[in-house]
Short mmCIF file of all heavy atoms in Angstrom, two decimals:
data_model
loop_
_atom_site.label_atom_id
_atom_site.label_comp_id
_atom_site.label_asym_id
_atom_site.label_seq_id
_atom_site.Cartn_x
_atom_site.Cartn_y
_atom_site.Cartn_z
N MET A 1 -98.40 60.46 -128.18
CA MET A 1 -99.17 59.43 -127.51
C MET A 1 -100.65 59.64 -127.84
O MET A 1 -101.18 60.74 -127.72
CB MET A 1 -98.92 59.51 -126.01
CG MET A 1 -99.71 58.52 -125.22
SD MET A 1 -99.34 58.73 -123.46
CE MET A 1 -99.45 57.08 -122.95
N GLN A 2 -101.32 58.56 -128.23
CA GLN A 2 -102.73 58.64 -128.60
C GLN A 2 -103.59 58.46 -127.35
O GLN A 2 -103.36 57.56 -126.55
CB GLN A 2 -103.05 57.56 -129.62
CG GLN A 2 -104.40 57.70 -130.24
CD GLN A 2 -104.61 56.66 -131.34
OE1 GLN A 2 -103.95 55.64 -131.37
NE2 GLN A 2 -105.52 56.94 -132.23
N SER A 3 -104.60 59.32 -127.19
CA SER A 3 -105.45 59.21 -126.01
C SER A 3 -106.50 58.12 -126.22
O SER A 3 -106.91 57.84 -127.35
CB SER A 3 -106.12 60.54 -125.72
OG SER A 3 -106.98 60.90 -126.79
N LYS A 4 -106.95 57.52 -125.12
CA LYS A 4 -107.97 56.49 -125.15
C LYS A 4 -109.32 57.10 -125.51
O LYS A 4 -109.68 58.16 -125.00
CB LYS A 4 -108.03 55.80 -123.79
CG LYS A 4 -109.03 54.69 -123.73
CD LYS A 4 -109.09 54.08 -122.34
CE LYS A 4 -110.23 53.10 -122.27
NZ LYS A 4 -110.49 52.64 -120.93
N TYR A 5 -110.05 56.44 -126.40
CA TYR A 5 -111.38 56.92 -126.78
C TYR A 5 -112.32 56.80 -125.59
O TYR A 5 -112.35 55.79 -124.91
CB TYR A 5 -111.92 56.08 -127.94
CG TYR A 5 -113.36 56.38 -128.26
CD1 TYR A 5 -113.71 57.54 -128.93
CD2 TYR A 5 -114.37 55.51 -127.89
CE1 TYR A 5 -115.03 57.83 -129.23
CE2 TYR A 5 -115.70 55.78 -128.17
CZ TYR A 5 -116.01 56.94 -128.84
OH TYR A 5 -117.32 57.22 -129.12
N GLU A 6 -113.04 57.85 -125.32
CA GLU A 6 -114.01 57.82 -124.23
C GLU A 6 -115.40 58.08 -124.80
O GLU A 6 -115.63 59.11 -125.45
CB GLU A 6 -113.68 58.88 -123.18
CG GLU A 6 -114.58 58.80 -121.98
CD GLU A 6 -114.16 59.73 -120.87
OE1 GLU A 6 -112.95 59.95 -120.71
OE2 GLU A 6 -115.06 60.24 -120.18
N ILE A 7 -116.29 57.13 -124.59
CA ILE A 7 -117.64 57.26 -125.10
C ILE A 7 -118.40 58.30 -124.27
O ILE A 7 -118.23 58.39 -123.06
CB ILE A 7 -118.36 55.89 -125.08
CG1 ILE A 7 -119.66 55.95 -125.85
CG2 ILE A 7 -118.56 55.37 -123.69
CD1 ILE A 7 -120.23 54.60 -126.19
N LYS A 8 -119.21 59.09 -124.94
CA LYS A 8 -119.96 60.16 -124.28
C LYS A 8 -121.31 59.63 -123.79
O LYS A 8 -121.88 58.72 -124.40
CB LYS A 8 -120.18 61.31 -125.25
CG LYS A 8 -118.89 61.98 -125.66
CD LYS A 8 -119.14 63.08 -126.66
CE LYS A 8 -117.80 63.69 -127.09
NZ LYS A 8 -117.98 64.66 -128.15
N PRO A 9 -121.84 60.19 -122.71
CA PRO A 9 -123.15 59.77 -122.21
C PRO A 9 -124.22 59.84 -123.30
O PRO A 9 -124.28 60.79 -124.07
CB PRO A 9 -123.43 60.77 -121.09
CG PRO A 9 -122.08 61.17 -120.60
CD PRO A 9 -121.23 61.22 -121.85
N GLY A 10 -125.04 58.79 -123.37
CA GLY A 10 -126.11 58.70 -124.36
C GLY A 10 -125.68 58.08 -125.68
O GLY A 10 -126.50 57.95 -126.58
N ASN A 11 -124.41 57.68 -125.82
CA ASN A 11 -123.90 57.13 -127.07
C ASN A 11 -123.57 55.64 -126.95
O ASN A 11 -123.34 55.13 -125.86
CB ASN A 11 -122.65 57.87 -127.52
CG ASN A 11 -122.96 59.27 -127.99
OD1 ASN A 11 -124.05 59.56 -128.45
ND2 ASN A 11 -121.99 60.15 -127.88
N ILE A 12 -123.52 54.98 -128.12
CA ILE A 12 -123.16 53.56 -128.24
C ILE A 12 -122.08 53.44 -129.29
O ILE A 12 -122.16 54.09 -130.34
CB ILE A 12 -124.37 52.72 -128.67
CG1 ILE A 12 -125.49 52.80 -127.64
CG2 ILE A 12 -123.97 51.26 -128.90
CD1 ILE A 12 -126.78 52.13 -128.09
N SER A 13 -121.08 52.59 -129.04
CA SER A 13 -120.04 52.27 -130.02
C SER A 13 -120.00 50.76 -130.20
O SER A 13 -119.89 50.02 -129.22
CB SER A 13 -118.67 52.75 -129.55
OG SER A 13 -118.64 54.15 -129.48
N LEU A 14 -120.12 50.30 -131.46
CA LEU A 14 -120.08 48.87 -131.77
C LEU A 14 -118.98 48.59 -132.76
O LEU A 14 -118.73 49.39 -133.67
CB LEU A 14 -121.42 48.41 -132.34
CG LEU A 14 -122.61 48.47 -131.41
CD1 LEU A 14 -123.89 48.17 -132.18
CD2 LEU A 14 -122.44 47.50 -130.27
N PHE A 15 -118.35 47.42 -132.62
CA PHE A 15 -117.27 47.00 -133.49
C PHE A 15 -117.51 45.57 -133.94
O PHE A 15 -118.00 44.74 -133.16
CB PHE A 15 -115.92 47.09 -132.76
CG PHE A 15 -115.64 48.48 -132.25
CD1 PHE A 15 -116.02 48.86 -130.97
CD2 PHE A 15 -115.02 49.41 -133.07
CE1 PHE A 15 -115.78 50.13 -130.50
CE2 PHE A 15 -114.78 50.70 -132.61
CZ PHE A 15 -115.16 51.05 -131.32
N LYS A 16 -117.15 45.27 -135.19
CA LYS A 16 -117.32 43.92 -135.72
C LYS A 16 -116.53 42.96 -134.85
O LYS A 16 -115.38 43.19 -134.52
CB LYS A 16 -116.84 43.86 -137.17
CG LYS A 16 -117.18 42.57 -137.86
CD LYS A 16 -116.89 42.67 -139.35
CE LYS A 16 -117.16 41.37 -140.04
NZ LYS A 16 -118.56 41.18 -140.37
N ASN A 17 -117.17 41.84 -134.49
CA ASN A 17 -116.58 40.86 -133.59
C ASN A 17 -116.03 39.68 -134.40
O ASN A 17 -116.66 39.21 -135.34
CB ASN A 17 -117.66 40.37 -132.61
CG ASN A 17 -117.11 39.55 -131.49
OD1 ASN A 17 -115.96 39.70 -131.09
ND2 ASN A 17 -117.93 38.68 -130.94
N ASP A 18 -114.86 39.18 -134.01
CA ASP A 18 -114.31 37.97 -134.61
C ASP A 18 -115.00 36.78 -133.97
O ASP A 18 -114.77 36.47 -132.80
CB ASP A 18 -112.79 37.91 -134.37
CG ASP A 18 -112.16 36.66 -134.95
OD1 ASP A 18 -112.84 35.92 -135.70
OD2 ASP A 18 -110.98 36.41 -134.64
N LYS A 19 -115.87 36.11 -134.73
CA LYS A 19 -116.65 35.01 -134.19
C LYS A 19 -115.86 33.71 -134.10
O LYS A 19 -116.26 32.79 -133.40
CB LYS A 19 -117.90 34.80 -135.04
CG LYS A 19 -118.85 35.99 -134.96
CD LYS A 19 -120.04 35.84 -135.85
CE LYS A 19 -120.98 34.85 -135.31
NZ LYS A 19 -122.35 35.25 -135.16
N GLY A 20 -114.73 33.62 -134.81
CA GLY A 20 -113.92 32.40 -134.77
C GLY A 20 -114.75 31.18 -135.13
O GLY A 20 -115.51 31.20 -136.09
N ASP A 21 -114.63 30.11 -134.35
CA ASP A 21 -115.37 28.87 -134.60
C ASP A 21 -116.73 28.84 -133.91
O ASP A 21 -117.46 27.87 -134.02
CB ASP A 21 -114.56 27.67 -134.09
CG ASP A 21 -113.27 27.47 -134.87
OD1 ASP A 21 -113.17 27.99 -135.99
OD2 ASP A 21 -112.37 26.78 -134.35
N ASN A 22 -117.08 29.89 -133.18
CA ASN A 22 -118.30 29.90 -132.39
C ASN A 22 -119.36 30.79 -133.06
O ASN A 22 -119.31 32.01 -132.96
CB ASN A 22 -118.00 30.40 -130.97
CG ASN A 22 -119.18 30.29 -130.05
OD1 ASN A 22 -120.30 30.09 -130.48
ND2 ASN A 22 -118.92 30.44 -128.77
N LYS A 23 -120.33 30.17 -133.72
CA LYS A 23 -121.38 30.91 -134.41
C LYS A 23 -122.32 31.64 -133.46
O LYS A 23 -123.08 32.51 -133.88
CB LYS A 23 -122.18 29.98 -135.32
CG LYS A 23 -121.39 29.44 -136.47
CD LYS A 23 -122.23 28.57 -137.37
CE LYS A 23 -121.38 28.05 -138.53
NZ LYS A 23 -122.16 27.25 -139.46
N LYS A 24 -122.29 31.29 -132.17
CA LYS A 24 -123.18 31.94 -131.19
C LYS A 24 -122.61 33.26 -130.68
O LYS A 24 -123.32 34.03 -130.05
CB LYS A 24 -123.42 31.00 -130.01
CG LYS A 24 -124.26 29.80 -130.39
CD LYS A 24 -124.60 28.98 -129.18
CE LYS A 24 -125.49 27.82 -129.57
NZ LYS A 24 -125.93 27.05 -128.40
N ARG A 25 -121.35 33.54 -130.96
CA ARG A 25 -120.77 34.82 -130.53
C ARG A 25 -121.48 35.96 -131.24
O ARG A 25 -121.92 35.82 -132.37
CB ARG A 25 -119.28 34.88 -130.87
CG ARG A 25 -118.43 34.07 -129.95
CD ARG A 25 -116.97 34.29 -130.25
NE ARG A 25 -116.16 33.41 -129.43
CZ ARG A 25 -114.99 32.91 -129.79
NH1 ARG A 25 -114.47 33.22 -130.96
NH2 ARG A 25 -114.33 32.13 -128.99
N PRO A 26 -121.56 37.12 -130.60
CA PRO A 26 -122.23 38.26 -131.24
C PRO A 26 -121.50 38.71 -132.51
O PRO A 26 -120.29 38.56 -132.62
CB PRO A 26 -122.17 39.36 -130.18
CG PRO A 26 -121.54 38.79 -128.98
CD PRO A 26 -121.07 37.42 -129.27
N ASP A 27 -122.27 39.25 -133.47
CA ASP A 27 -121.68 39.79 -134.70
C ASP A 27 -120.95 41.10 -134.41
O ASP A 27 -119.95 41.40 -135.04
CB ASP A 27 -122.77 40.01 -135.75
CG ASP A 27 -123.38 38.70 -136.22
OD1 ASP A 27 -122.62 37.87 -136.75
OD2 ASP A 27 -124.58 38.51 -136.03
N TYR A 28 -121.47 41.87 -133.46
CA TYR A 28 -120.87 43.15 -133.06
C TYR A 28 -120.87 43.24 -131.54
O TYR A 28 -121.81 42.79 -130.88
CB TYR A 28 -121.66 44.33 -133.64
CG TYR A 28 -121.40 44.55 -135.10
CD1 TYR A 28 -122.07 43.81 -136.06
CD2 TYR A 28 -120.46 45.49 -135.52
CE1 TYR A 28 -121.81 43.99 -137.41
CE2 TYR A 28 -120.20 45.67 -136.87
CZ TYR A 28 -120.87 44.92 -137.81
OH TYR A 28 -120.61 45.11 -139.13
N THR A 29 -119.81 43.82 -131.00
CA THR A 29 -119.73 44.08 -129.56
C THR A 29 -119.24 45.50 -129.35
O THR A 29 -118.61 46.09 -130.23
CB THR A 29 -118.79 43.10 -128.84
OG1 THR A 29 -117.49 43.20 -129.43
CG2 THR A 29 -119.29 41.67 -128.93
N GLY A 30 -119.51 46.03 -128.19
CA GLY A 30 -119.05 47.37 -127.88
C GLY A 30 -119.55 47.81 -126.53
O GLY A 30 -119.78 46.99 -125.64
N SER A 31 -119.71 49.10 -126.39
CA SER A 31 -120.15 49.64 -125.11
C SER A 31 -121.07 50.83 -125.34
O SER A 31 -121.14 51.40 -126.42
CB SER A 31 -118.95 50.06 -124.26
OG SER A 31 -118.20 51.03 -124.93
N MET A 32 -121.76 51.16 -124.29
CA MET A 32 -122.64 52.32 -124.29
C MET A 32 -122.50 53.00 -122.94
O MET A 32 -122.06 52.40 -121.97
CB MET A 32 -124.09 51.92 -124.54
CG MET A 32 -124.72 51.13 -123.41
SD MET A 32 -126.49 50.86 -123.62
CE MET A 32 -127.13 52.46 -123.12
N LYS A 33 -122.86 54.26 -122.92
CA LYS A 33 -122.87 55.00 -121.66
C LYS A 33 -124.25 55.62 -121.52
O LYS A 33 -124.71 56.33 -122.41
CB LYS A 33 -121.78 56.07 -121.64
CG LYS A 33 -121.57 56.66 -120.25
CD LYS A 33 -120.40 57.62 -120.22
CE LYS A 33 -119.11 56.86 -120.02
NZ LYS A 33 -117.97 57.76 -119.75
N THR A 34 -124.90 55.32 -120.40
CA THR A 34 -126.23 55.87 -120.15
C THR A 34 -126.12 57.39 -119.96
O THR A 34 -125.03 57.89 -119.68
CB THR A 34 -126.87 55.23 -118.90
OG1 THR A 34 -126.09 55.57 -117.76
CG2 THR A 34 -126.99 53.73 -119.04
N PRO A 35 -127.23 58.10 -120.08
CA PRO A 35 -127.18 59.55 -119.88
C PRO A 35 -126.62 59.96 -118.52
O PRO A 35 -126.03 61.03 -118.38
CB PRO A 35 -128.64 59.98 -120.03
CG PRO A 35 -129.21 58.97 -120.97
CD PRO A 35 -128.54 57.67 -120.58
N ASP A 36 -126.75 59.07 -117.52
CA ASP A 36 -126.20 59.41 -116.20
C ASP A 36 -124.78 58.88 -115.98
O ASP A 36 -124.27 58.91 -114.87
CB ASP A 36 -127.14 58.96 -115.07
CG ASP A 36 -127.45 57.47 -115.10
OD1 ASP A 36 -127.22 56.83 -116.12
OD2 ASP A 36 -127.93 56.96 -114.07
N GLY A 37 -124.14 58.40 -117.07
CA GLY A 37 -122.72 58.05 -117.02
C GLY A 37 -122.35 56.62 -116.73
O GLY A 37 -121.17 56.30 -116.62
N VAL A 38 -123.32 55.70 -116.62
CA VAL A 38 -123.02 54.30 -116.35
C VAL A 38 -122.63 53.61 -117.65
O VAL A 38 -123.37 53.66 -118.64
CB VAL A 38 -124.24 53.58 -115.72
CG1 VAL A 38 -123.95 52.10 -115.52
CG2 VAL A 38 -124.63 54.25 -114.41
N GLU A 39 -121.44 52.98 -117.68
CA GLU A 39 -120.99 52.28 -118.89
C GLU A 39 -121.44 50.83 -118.86
O GLU A 39 -121.31 50.14 -117.85
CB GLU A 39 -119.46 52.35 -119.02
CG GLU A 39 -119.01 51.93 -120.39
CD GLU A 39 -117.60 52.37 -120.73
OE1 GLU A 39 -117.15 53.40 -120.20
OE2 GLU A 39 -116.97 51.67 -121.53
N LEU A 40 -122.01 50.36 -119.99
CA LEU A 40 -122.53 49.02 -120.12
C LEU A 40 -121.96 48.35 -121.36
O LEU A 40 -121.57 49.03 -122.32
CB LEU A 40 -124.06 49.04 -120.20
CG LEU A 40 -124.78 49.63 -118.99
CD1 LEU A 40 -126.25 49.82 -119.31
CD2 LEU A 40 -124.61 48.73 -117.78
N GLN A 41 -121.93 47.02 -121.36
CA GLN A 41 -121.46 46.23 -122.50
C GLN A 41 -122.63 45.94 -123.42
O GLN A 41 -123.73 45.64 -122.96
CB GLN A 41 -120.88 44.91 -121.98
CG GLN A 41 -120.38 44.00 -123.06
CD GLN A 41 -119.81 42.72 -122.46
OE1 GLN A 41 -119.27 42.72 -121.36
NE2 GLN A 41 -119.93 41.63 -123.19
N VAL A 42 -122.41 46.03 -124.74
CA VAL A 42 -123.45 45.80 -125.74
C VAL A 42 -123.02 44.67 -126.67
O VAL A 42 -121.87 44.63 -127.11
CB VAL A 42 -123.72 47.07 -126.58
CG1 VAL A 42 -124.79 46.82 -127.62
CG2 VAL A 42 -124.09 48.24 -125.69
N SER A 43 -123.94 43.75 -126.95
CA SER A 43 -123.70 42.66 -127.91
C SER A 43 -124.86 42.64 -128.89
O SER A 43 -126.02 42.75 -128.49
CB SER A 43 -123.64 41.31 -127.18
OG SER A 43 -122.61 41.30 -126.22
N MET A 44 -124.56 42.51 -130.20
CA MET A 44 -125.59 42.53 -131.24
C MET A 44 -125.40 41.36 -132.20
O MET A 44 -124.27 41.00 -132.54
CB MET A 44 -125.52 43.84 -132.04
CG MET A 44 -125.75 45.10 -131.23
SD MET A 44 -127.40 45.29 -130.57
CE MET A 44 -128.36 45.51 -132.04
N TRP A 45 -126.53 40.77 -132.62
CA TRP A 45 -126.53 39.67 -133.57
C TRP A 45 -127.42 40.00 -134.75
O TRP A 45 -128.48 40.60 -134.58
CB TRP A 45 -127.10 38.40 -132.93
CG TRP A 45 -126.27 37.79 -131.86
CD1 TRP A 45 -125.40 36.75 -132.01
CD2 TRP A 45 -126.24 38.12 -130.48
NE1 TRP A 45 -124.83 36.44 -130.81
CE2 TRP A 45 -125.32 37.27 -129.84
CE3 TRP A 45 -126.89 39.08 -129.69
CZ2 TRP A 45 -125.05 37.33 -128.48
CZ3 TRP A 45 -126.61 39.14 -128.34
CH2 TRP A 45 -125.70 38.27 -127.75
N PHE A 46 -127.01 39.58 -135.97
CA PHE A 46 -127.91 39.63 -137.12
C PHE A 46 -128.80 38.40 -137.01
O PHE A 46 -128.33 37.31 -136.71
CB PHE A 46 -127.12 39.55 -138.44
CG PHE A 46 -126.36 40.80 -138.75
CD1 PHE A 46 -124.98 40.80 -138.74
CD2 PHE A 46 -127.02 41.98 -139.04
CE1 PHE A 46 -124.27 41.94 -139.03
CE2 PHE A 46 -126.31 43.14 -139.33
CZ PHE A 46 -124.94 43.11 -139.32
N THR A 47 -130.09 38.57 -137.23
CA THR A 47 -131.02 37.45 -137.14
C THR A 47 -132.15 37.64 -138.15
O THR A 47 -132.21 38.65 -138.84
CB THR A 47 -131.54 37.31 -135.69
OG1 THR A 47 -132.25 36.10 -135.55
CG2 THR A 47 -132.37 38.49 -135.28
N GLU A 48 -133.01 36.63 -138.25
CA GLU A 48 -134.10 36.68 -139.22
C GLU A 48 -135.36 36.10 -138.57
O GLU A 48 -135.31 35.05 -137.92
CB GLU A 48 -133.73 35.86 -140.46
CG GLU A 48 -134.69 36.01 -141.60
CD GLU A 48 -134.19 35.36 -142.88
OE1 GLU A 48 -132.97 35.28 -143.09
OE2 GLU A 48 -135.03 34.93 -143.68
N SER A 49 -136.49 36.80 -138.74
CA SER A 49 -137.75 36.35 -138.17
C SER A 49 -138.29 35.16 -138.97
O SER A 49 -137.80 34.86 -140.06
CB SER A 49 -138.78 37.48 -138.16
OG SER A 49 -139.22 37.74 -139.48
N GLN A 50 -139.31 34.51 -138.44
CA GLN A 50 -139.94 33.39 -139.14
C GLN A 50 -140.56 33.84 -140.46
O GLN A 50 -140.70 33.04 -141.38
CB GLN A 50 -141.02 32.75 -138.26
CG GLN A 50 -140.44 32.05 -137.06
CD GLN A 50 -141.51 31.44 -136.17
OE1 GLN A 50 -142.70 31.73 -136.32
NE2 GLN A 50 -141.09 30.62 -135.23
N ASN A 51 -140.89 35.12 -140.57
CA ASN A 51 -141.47 35.67 -141.80
C ASN A 51 -140.41 36.12 -142.79
O ASN A 51 -140.73 36.68 -143.83
CB ASN A 51 -142.39 36.84 -141.49
CG ASN A 51 -143.57 36.43 -140.65
OD1 ASN A 51 -144.00 35.28 -140.70
ND2 ASN A 51 -144.11 37.35 -139.88
N GLY A 52 -139.12 35.94 -142.45
CA GLY A 52 -138.04 36.32 -143.35
C GLY A 52 -137.54 37.74 -143.19
O GLY A 52 -136.71 38.19 -143.98
N LEU A 53 -138.03 38.46 -142.19
CA LEU A 53 -137.61 39.83 -141.94
C LEU A 53 -136.26 39.82 -141.23
O LEU A 53 -136.12 39.24 -140.16
CB LEU A 53 -138.65 40.56 -141.08
CG LEU A 53 -138.33 42.00 -140.71
CD1 LEU A 53 -138.31 42.88 -141.96
CD2 LEU A 53 -139.35 42.51 -139.71
N LYS A 54 -135.26 40.45 -141.83
CA LYS A 54 -133.93 40.51 -141.22
C LYS A 54 -133.87 41.70 -140.27
O LYS A 54 -134.38 42.77 -140.57
CB LYS A 54 -132.86 40.63 -142.30
CG LYS A 54 -132.77 39.39 -143.15
CD LYS A 54 -131.68 39.50 -144.19
CE LYS A 54 -131.67 38.22 -145.01
NZ LYS A 54 -130.61 38.20 -145.98
N TYR A 55 -133.25 41.47 -139.12
CA TYR A 55 -133.12 42.52 -138.12
C TYR A 55 -131.92 42.22 -137.23
O TYR A 55 -131.29 41.18 -137.34
CB TYR A 55 -134.40 42.64 -137.29
CG TYR A 55 -134.73 41.44 -136.44
CD1 TYR A 55 -134.41 41.43 -135.09
CD2 TYR A 55 -135.37 40.33 -136.97
CE1 TYR A 55 -134.70 40.33 -134.29
CE2 TYR A 55 -135.67 39.23 -136.19
CZ TYR A 55 -135.34 39.23 -134.85
OH TYR A 55 -135.63 38.14 -134.07
N MET A 56 -131.61 43.15 -136.35
CA MET A 56 -130.56 42.94 -135.36
C MET A 56 -131.21 42.84 -133.99
O MET A 56 -132.12 43.60 -133.68
CB MET A 56 -129.55 44.08 -135.38
CG MET A 56 -128.72 44.13 -136.64
SD MET A 56 -127.41 45.37 -136.54
CE MET A 56 -126.21 44.46 -135.56
N SER A 57 -130.73 41.90 -133.20
CA SER A 57 -131.17 41.80 -131.81
C SER A 57 -129.96 42.02 -130.92
O SER A 57 -128.82 41.81 -131.35
CB SER A 57 -131.81 40.44 -131.54
OG SER A 57 -130.86 39.40 -131.69
N GLY A 58 -130.19 42.44 -129.70
CA GLY A 58 -129.05 42.76 -128.87
C GLY A 58 -129.28 42.52 -127.40
O GLY A 58 -130.37 42.19 -126.95
N LYS A 59 -128.18 42.67 -126.68
CA LYS A 59 -128.16 42.48 -125.24
C LYS A 59 -127.30 43.57 -124.62
O LYS A 59 -126.23 43.89 -125.14
CB LYS A 59 -127.58 41.10 -124.93
CG LYS A 59 -127.58 40.73 -123.48
CD LYS A 59 -127.06 39.31 -123.32
CE LYS A 59 -127.14 38.86 -121.89
NZ LYS A 59 -126.68 37.47 -121.73
N VAL A 60 -127.77 44.14 -123.52
CA VAL A 60 -127.02 45.15 -122.77
C VAL A 60 -126.83 44.60 -121.37
O VAL A 60 -127.79 44.11 -120.76
CB VAL A 60 -127.78 46.49 -122.73
CG1 VAL A 60 -127.03 47.50 -121.89
CG2 VAL A 60 -128.00 47.02 -124.14
N GLN A 61 -125.60 44.64 -120.88
CA GLN A 61 -125.33 44.09 -119.55
C GLN A 61 -124.16 44.81 -118.90
O GLN A 61 -123.46 45.58 -119.54
CB GLN A 61 -125.04 42.60 -119.64
CG GLN A 61 -123.83 42.26 -120.49
CD GLN A 61 -123.70 40.78 -120.77
OE1 GLN A 61 -124.69 40.05 -120.76
NE2 GLN A 61 -122.50 40.33 -121.03
N GLU A 62 -123.96 44.52 -117.62
CA GLU A 62 -122.81 45.05 -116.90
C GLU A 62 -121.54 44.56 -117.59
O GLU A 62 -121.52 43.44 -118.11
CB GLU A 62 -122.82 44.55 -115.45
CG GLU A 62 -123.97 45.05 -114.62
CD GLU A 62 -123.85 46.51 -114.26
OE1 GLU A 62 -122.72 46.99 -114.04
OE2 GLU A 62 -124.89 47.19 -114.22
N PRO A 63 -120.48 45.36 -117.64
CA PRO A 63 -119.23 44.93 -118.27
C PRO A 63 -118.69 43.66 -117.63
O PRO A 63 -118.75 43.49 -116.41
CB PRO A 63 -118.28 46.10 -118.03
CG PRO A 63 -119.16 47.27 -117.81
CD PRO A 63 -120.40 46.73 -117.14
N TYR A 64 -118.19 42.76 -118.47
CA TYR A 64 -117.61 41.51 -118.02
C TYR A 64 -116.19 41.77 -117.55
O TYR A 64 -115.38 42.32 -118.28
CB TYR A 64 -117.62 40.49 -119.15
CG TYR A 64 -116.91 39.20 -118.83
CD1 TYR A 64 -117.46 38.32 -117.91
CD2 TYR A 64 -115.71 38.88 -119.43
CE1 TYR A 64 -116.83 37.14 -117.60
CE2 TYR A 64 -115.07 37.69 -119.12
CZ TYR A 64 -115.63 36.83 -118.22
OH TYR A 64 -114.99 35.66 -117.91
N GLY A 65 -115.89 41.36 -116.33
CA GLY A 65 -114.55 41.57 -115.77
C GLY A 65 -113.53 40.57 -116.26
O GLY A 65 -112.35 40.86 -116.37
N GLY A 66 -113.97 39.34 -116.57
CA GLY A 66 -113.07 38.30 -117.05
C GLY A 66 -112.22 37.72 -115.94
O GLY A 66 -112.19 38.19 -114.82
N ALA A 67 -111.51 36.66 -116.26
CA ALA A 67 -110.64 35.99 -115.30
C ALA A 67 -109.50 36.92 -114.89
O ALA A 67 -108.92 37.61 -115.73
CB ALA A 67 -110.08 34.71 -115.91
N GLY A 68 -109.21 36.92 -113.62
CA GLY A 68 -108.10 37.74 -113.14
C GLY A 68 -108.43 39.20 -112.96
O GLY A 68 -107.55 39.99 -112.74
N SER A 69 -109.71 39.55 -113.03
CA SER A 69 -110.06 40.96 -112.83
C SER A 69 -109.94 41.31 -111.36
O SER A 69 -110.13 40.47 -110.48
CB SER A 69 -111.47 41.26 -113.34
OG SER A 69 -112.42 40.57 -112.59
N ALA A 70 -109.64 42.54 -111.10
CA ALA A 70 -109.49 42.99 -109.72
C ALA A 70 -110.85 43.27 -109.14
O ALA A 70 -111.51 44.23 -109.49
CB ALA A 70 -108.62 44.24 -109.67
N ASP A 71 -111.30 42.39 -108.24
CA ASP A 71 -112.58 42.55 -107.59
C ASP A 71 -112.39 42.34 -106.11
O ASP A 71 -112.19 41.21 -105.65
CB ASP A 71 -113.60 41.56 -108.16
CG ASP A 71 -114.99 41.75 -107.59
OD1 ASP A 71 -115.15 42.56 -106.66
OD2 ASP A 71 -115.92 41.08 -108.08
N ASP A 72 -112.44 43.39 -105.33
CA ASP A 72 -112.19 43.30 -103.90
C ASP A 72 -113.35 42.66 -103.13
O ASP A 72 -113.22 42.38 -101.95
CB ASP A 72 -111.94 44.70 -103.32
CG ASP A 72 -110.64 45.29 -103.86
OD1 ASP A 72 -109.76 44.51 -104.27
OD2 ASP A 72 -110.50 46.53 -103.84
N THR A 73 -114.49 42.40 -103.80
CA THR A 73 -115.63 41.82 -103.09
C THR A 73 -115.53 40.31 -103.00
O THR A 73 -116.27 39.70 -102.24
CB THR A 73 -116.95 42.21 -103.77
OG1 THR A 73 -116.96 41.67 -105.09
CG2 THR A 73 -117.14 43.71 -103.79
N VAL A 74 -114.66 39.68 -103.77
CA VAL A 74 -114.51 38.22 -103.74
C VAL A 74 -113.70 37.86 -102.48
O VAL A 74 -112.60 38.33 -102.30
CB VAL A 74 -113.80 37.70 -105.01
CG1 VAL A 74 -113.64 36.20 -104.94
CG2 VAL A 74 -114.60 38.10 -106.24
N PRO A 75 -114.27 36.96 -101.63
CA PRO A 75 -113.61 36.69 -100.35
C PRO A 75 -112.43 35.73 -100.42
O PRO A 75 -111.87 35.40 -99.40
CB PRO A 75 -114.76 36.07 -99.53
CG PRO A 75 -115.65 35.44 -100.54
CD PRO A 75 -115.57 36.33 -101.73
N PHE A 76 -112.04 35.25 -101.58
CA PHE A 76 -110.91 34.32 -101.66
C PHE A 76 -109.90 34.74 -102.70
O PHE A 76 -110.09 35.60 -103.46
CB PHE A 76 -111.38 32.90 -101.93
CG PHE A 76 -112.33 32.79 -103.08
CD1 PHE A 76 -111.86 32.56 -104.37
CD2 PHE A 76 -113.68 32.92 -102.90
CE1 PHE A 76 -112.74 32.47 -105.43
CE2 PHE A 76 -114.56 32.82 -103.96
CZ PHE A 76 -114.08 32.59 -105.23
#
């Protein structure tokens, strides 16, 4: 049995994302763990500045639970 990969505090793991028909989806998605152990979701896009400089931009946020996630705080 293969064990689940666990990201270590202070590290980020990104994986190529299947964008499908939606060009606005991130090019890479993954997760990071802060030095104090909080896991966050990471999204990265390839982009280009007005001067033609290519770079990556990104977003870090709380993990998305998605539809049907177990959340005891929802009152319905």
